[in-house]
Short mmCIF file of all heavy atoms in Angstrom, two decimals:
data_model
loop_
_atom_site.label_atom_id
_atom_site.label_comp_id
_atom_site.label_asym_id
_atom_site.label_seq_id
_atom_site.Cartn_x
_atom_site.Cartn_y
_atom_site.Cartn_z
N GLY A 140 -9.56 -2.95 -59.48
CA GLY A 140 -8.41 -2.60 -58.75
C GLY A 140 -8.52 -2.94 -57.32
O GLY A 140 -7.59 -3.44 -56.66
N ALA A 141 -9.69 -2.85 -56.77
CA ALA A 141 -10.00 -3.23 -55.29
C ALA A 141 -9.86 -4.73 -55.19
O ALA A 141 -9.30 -5.35 -54.21
CB ALA A 141 -11.32 -2.72 -54.91
N ALA A 142 -10.36 -5.49 -56.21
CA ALA A 142 -10.39 -6.98 -56.21
C ALA A 142 -8.79 -7.38 -56.20
O ALA A 142 -8.47 -8.26 -55.40
CB ALA A 142 -11.07 -7.58 -57.22
N TRP A 143 -8.01 -6.82 -57.09
CA TRP A 143 -6.58 -7.20 -57.13
C TRP A 143 -5.90 -6.90 -55.86
O TRP A 143 -5.04 -7.63 -55.44
CB TRP A 143 -5.98 -6.46 -58.35
CG TRP A 143 -4.64 -6.75 -58.47
CD1 TRP A 143 -4.05 -7.81 -59.00
CD2 TRP A 143 -3.54 -5.84 -57.94
NE1 TRP A 143 -2.62 -7.70 -58.75
CE2 TRP A 143 -2.32 -6.55 -58.19
CE3 TRP A 143 -3.53 -4.64 -57.36
CZ2 TRP A 143 -0.99 -5.92 -57.85
CZ3 TRP A 143 -2.20 -4.09 -56.97
CH2 TRP A 143 -1.07 -4.76 -57.21
N PHE A 144 -6.17 -5.73 -55.21
CA PHE A 144 -5.58 -5.34 -54.09
C PHE A 144 -5.90 -6.24 -52.96
O PHE A 144 -5.04 -6.67 -52.15
CB PHE A 144 -5.99 -3.90 -53.71
CG PHE A 144 -5.28 -3.37 -52.49
CD1 PHE A 144 -3.98 -3.00 -52.62
CD2 PHE A 144 -5.99 -3.25 -51.26
CE1 PHE A 144 -3.35 -2.41 -51.42
CE2 PHE A 144 -5.41 -2.86 -50.13
CZ PHE A 144 -4.02 -2.38 -50.27
N MET A 145 -7.15 -6.65 -52.83
CA MET A 145 -7.59 -7.58 -51.81
C MET A 145 -7.17 -9.03 -51.91
O MET A 145 -6.70 -9.58 -51.02
CB MET A 145 -9.12 -7.48 -51.62
CG MET A 145 -9.55 -6.09 -51.15
SD MET A 145 -8.97 -5.55 -49.58
CE MET A 145 -9.98 -6.66 -48.57
N PHE A 146 -7.29 -9.49 -53.10
CA PHE A 146 -7.05 -10.92 -53.34
C PHE A 146 -5.63 -11.16 -54.01
O PHE A 146 -5.06 -12.31 -53.72
CB PHE A 146 -8.04 -11.53 -54.33
CG PHE A 146 -9.51 -11.44 -53.71
CD1 PHE A 146 -10.31 -10.53 -54.29
CD2 PHE A 146 -9.83 -12.18 -52.55
CE1 PHE A 146 -11.69 -10.44 -53.75
CE2 PHE A 146 -11.10 -12.09 -52.01
CZ PHE A 146 -11.93 -11.17 -52.58
N GLY A 147 -5.11 -10.28 -54.68
CA GLY A 147 -3.87 -10.51 -55.32
C GLY A 147 -2.66 -10.44 -54.28
O GLY A 147 -1.59 -11.02 -54.45
N ARG A 148 -2.87 -9.75 -53.20
CA ARG A 148 -1.92 -9.67 -52.12
C ARG A 148 -1.69 -10.90 -51.27
O ARG A 148 -0.72 -11.21 -50.61
CB ARG A 148 -2.14 -8.51 -51.14
CG ARG A 148 -1.95 -7.15 -51.84
CD ARG A 148 -2.37 -6.04 -51.02
NE ARG A 148 -1.68 -6.18 -49.66
CZ ARG A 148 -1.99 -5.29 -48.74
NH1 ARG A 148 -2.65 -4.31 -48.91
NH2 ARG A 148 -1.37 -5.50 -47.49
N GLY A 149 -2.64 -11.80 -51.40
CA GLY A 149 -2.68 -13.03 -50.67
C GLY A 149 -1.91 -14.22 -51.27
O GLY A 149 -1.91 -15.30 -50.82
N LYS A 150 -1.12 -13.92 -52.41
CA LYS A 150 -0.36 -14.91 -53.03
C LYS A 150 0.72 -15.36 -52.13
O LYS A 150 1.13 -16.59 -52.13
CB LYS A 150 0.26 -14.41 -54.32
CG LYS A 150 -0.85 -14.24 -55.38
CD LYS A 150 -0.11 -13.70 -56.74
CE LYS A 150 -1.19 -13.47 -57.75
NZ LYS A 150 -0.65 -12.82 -58.97
N ASN A 151 1.35 -14.50 -51.42
CA ASN A 151 2.49 -14.85 -50.48
C ASN A 151 2.08 -15.17 -49.04
O ASN A 151 2.81 -15.17 -48.17
CB ASN A 151 3.58 -13.84 -50.59
CG ASN A 151 4.10 -13.55 -51.92
OD1 ASN A 151 4.15 -14.50 -52.74
ND2 ASN A 151 4.54 -12.31 -52.32
N ALA A 152 0.76 -15.50 -48.86
CA ALA A 152 0.33 -15.73 -47.58
C ALA A 152 0.96 -16.97 -46.91
O ALA A 152 1.07 -17.09 -45.70
CB ALA A 152 -1.25 -15.91 -47.60
N GLY A 153 1.38 -17.89 -47.73
CA GLY A 153 1.99 -19.14 -47.11
C GLY A 153 3.37 -18.92 -46.58
O GLY A 153 3.99 -19.72 -45.91
N GLU A 154 4.15 -17.95 -47.00
CA GLU A 154 5.41 -17.70 -46.60
C GLU A 154 5.48 -16.99 -45.29
O GLU A 154 4.80 -15.92 -45.09
CB GLU A 154 6.15 -16.74 -47.69
CG GLU A 154 6.18 -17.49 -49.11
CD GLU A 154 6.84 -16.52 -50.06
OE1 GLU A 154 7.40 -15.53 -49.64
OE2 GLU A 154 6.78 -16.79 -51.25
N ASP A 155 6.20 -17.49 -44.42
CA ASP A 155 6.42 -16.80 -43.12
C ASP A 155 7.38 -15.76 -43.14
O ASP A 155 8.57 -15.91 -43.55
CB ASP A 155 6.82 -17.92 -42.07
CG ASP A 155 5.76 -19.06 -41.83
OD1 ASP A 155 4.60 -18.78 -42.08
OD2 ASP A 155 6.17 -20.22 -41.48
N LYS A 156 7.08 -14.58 -42.59
CA LYS A 156 8.02 -13.57 -42.36
C LYS A 156 8.79 -13.75 -41.13
O LYS A 156 9.93 -13.33 -41.04
CB LYS A 156 7.20 -12.21 -42.31
CG LYS A 156 6.64 -11.85 -43.72
CD LYS A 156 6.03 -10.44 -43.55
CE LYS A 156 5.32 -10.02 -44.89
NZ LYS A 156 4.85 -8.73 -44.85
N TYR A 157 8.23 -14.28 -40.15
CA TYR A 157 8.94 -14.58 -38.88
C TYR A 157 8.67 -16.02 -38.49
O TYR A 157 7.64 -16.63 -38.89
CB TYR A 157 8.35 -13.62 -37.78
CG TYR A 157 8.53 -12.16 -38.08
CD1 TYR A 157 7.45 -11.42 -38.53
CD2 TYR A 157 9.75 -11.62 -37.96
CE1 TYR A 157 7.57 -10.07 -38.82
CE2 TYR A 157 9.89 -10.16 -38.26
CZ TYR A 157 8.77 -9.53 -38.73
OH TYR A 157 8.81 -8.16 -39.06
N ARG A 158 9.55 -16.56 -37.79
CA ARG A 158 9.33 -17.90 -37.22
C ARG A 158 9.89 -18.07 -35.80
O ARG A 158 10.73 -17.30 -35.41
CB ARG A 158 9.99 -19.08 -38.20
CG ARG A 158 11.47 -18.93 -38.13
CD ARG A 158 12.02 -19.93 -38.99
NE ARG A 158 13.42 -20.00 -38.93
CZ ARG A 158 14.31 -20.66 -39.56
NH1 ARG A 158 13.78 -21.54 -40.50
NH2 ARG A 158 15.56 -20.59 -39.56
N SER A 159 9.34 -18.91 -35.02
CA SER A 159 9.66 -19.08 -33.69
C SER A 159 10.39 -20.47 -33.54
O SER A 159 10.12 -21.45 -34.20
CB SER A 159 8.50 -19.19 -32.74
OG SER A 159 7.85 -17.95 -32.80
N GLU A 160 11.48 -20.50 -32.76
CA GLU A 160 12.25 -21.74 -32.50
C GLU A 160 12.59 -21.79 -30.96
O GLU A 160 12.61 -20.86 -30.34
CB GLU A 160 13.57 -21.77 -33.26
CG GLU A 160 13.24 -21.60 -34.84
CD GLU A 160 14.17 -22.51 -35.60
OE1 GLU A 160 14.94 -23.35 -34.89
OE2 GLU A 160 14.09 -22.56 -36.71
N ALA A 161 12.83 -23.04 -30.75
CA ALA A 161 13.17 -23.25 -29.18
C ALA A 161 14.62 -22.75 -28.92
O ALA A 161 15.49 -22.68 -29.88
CB ALA A 161 13.17 -24.77 -28.91
N VAL A 162 14.84 -22.25 -27.73
CA VAL A 162 16.11 -21.60 -27.39
C VAL A 162 17.22 -22.85 -27.25
O VAL A 162 16.89 -23.90 -26.68
CB VAL A 162 16.03 -20.85 -26.03
CG1 VAL A 162 17.40 -20.41 -25.56
CG2 VAL A 162 15.11 -19.82 -26.11
N GLY A 163 18.34 -22.53 -27.81
CA GLY A 163 19.48 -23.59 -27.73
C GLY A 163 20.69 -23.01 -28.00
O GLY A 163 20.88 -21.90 -28.42
N LYS A 164 21.80 -23.77 -27.81
CA LYS A 164 23.21 -23.25 -28.07
C LYS A 164 23.51 -23.65 -29.41
O LYS A 164 23.11 -24.70 -30.02
CB LYS A 164 24.22 -24.06 -27.16
CG LYS A 164 24.08 -23.56 -25.67
CD LYS A 164 25.07 -24.18 -24.86
CE LYS A 164 25.02 -23.70 -23.39
NZ LYS A 164 26.11 -24.28 -22.54
N GLY A 165 24.34 -22.85 -30.03
CA GLY A 165 24.75 -23.00 -31.46
C GLY A 165 25.79 -22.01 -31.79
O GLY A 165 26.15 -21.09 -31.14
N ASN A 166 26.42 -22.13 -32.95
CA ASN A 166 27.43 -21.28 -33.46
C ASN A 166 26.72 -20.15 -34.17
O ASN A 166 25.77 -20.32 -34.85
CB ASN A 166 28.43 -22.04 -34.35
CG ASN A 166 29.15 -22.99 -33.67
OD1 ASN A 166 29.49 -22.83 -32.50
ND2 ASN A 166 29.65 -23.98 -34.31
N VAL A 167 27.29 -19.01 -34.07
CA VAL A 167 26.67 -17.87 -34.84
C VAL A 167 27.83 -17.65 -35.88
O VAL A 167 28.96 -17.45 -35.69
CB VAL A 167 26.73 -16.55 -33.95
CG1 VAL A 167 26.32 -15.36 -34.78
CG2 VAL A 167 25.71 -16.81 -32.76
#
């Protein structure tokens, strides 16, 4: 269980929850 908790949670490590972008004008 400890191994699954520590290593199984890393499957989605490549997906960004947040990202940064340069400020610019655009439509909302």
Side-chain angles (χ1 to χ4, degrees):
W143 175 79
F144 182 76
M145 296 298 289
F146 299 111
R148 291 176 48 179
K150 289 180 184 175
N151 299 331
E154 297 177 15
D155 295 332
K156 292 184 179 181
Y157 303 100
R158 66 179 183 186
S159 298
E160 299 228 2
V162 176
K164 290 184 178 182
N166 294 330
V167 178

